[in-house]
Amino acid sequence: MIGFGKKYMGTNRKGGRKPKLEKATHRYVFRLTDSENAKFQTLFEQSGLDNRAKFIVSLLFERKINSVIVDKGAMEYCTKLSQFFAQFRAIGVNYNQIVKILHTNFSDKKTVYYIGKLEEHTKELAQICRDVLMLSKKFEAEHLFKKGKL
């Protein structure tokens, strides 16, 4: 029976982690003020690294650090805008259902009257939609595109 002991593995190790080729044996300690620590924490979070020591080493030796900045205001804006357009689509579906019910359940005279009223409200809704689009384009131009976020 062949086992997988030391003599078959080609080393005299007993297992565990592979030893590093170059051990980090030098240690440095430094202290930060509260404001410096806040700035350090912000930079560390933006870097996306999971280890503070690796982050500090990468800063010291000018390695490239990728930062991802998430603008919560822009995210909330996109979410609210998406919700608004979902509601707008739902209104369109309801509009079609109302017109169908009017044609099937009411006389021609009443149908024309109610469709006229519905048309007035639809014009108001269309104006609101145009206003939202205008404000949305203004917001994007002033806050998103200038900062290079989109």
Side-chain angles (χ1 to χ4, degrees), residues 3-16:
F4 291 102
K6 286 188 255 180
K7 69 179 184 180
Y8 294 107
M9 292 179 64
T11 64
N12 289 330
R13 294 186 310 116
K14 293 184 178 181

Side-chain angles (χ1 to χ4, degrees), residues 96-108 111 115:
N96 290 338
Q97 291 173 347
I98 289 171
V99 171
K100 183 178 178 182
I101 290 169
L102 286 174
H103 279 293
T104 56
N105 296 333
F106 293 101
S107 66
D108 289 342
T111 300
I115 287 180

Side-chain angles (χ1 to χ4, degrees), residues 78-99:
C78 291
T79 302
K80 295 291 184 185
L81 192 60
S82 297
Q83 290 173 350
F84 172 75
F85 282 113
Q87 289 176 349
F88 195 74
R89 283 191 300 274
I91 290 170
V93 170
N94 291 342
Y95 183 92
N96 290 338
Q97 291 173 347
I98 289 171
V99 171

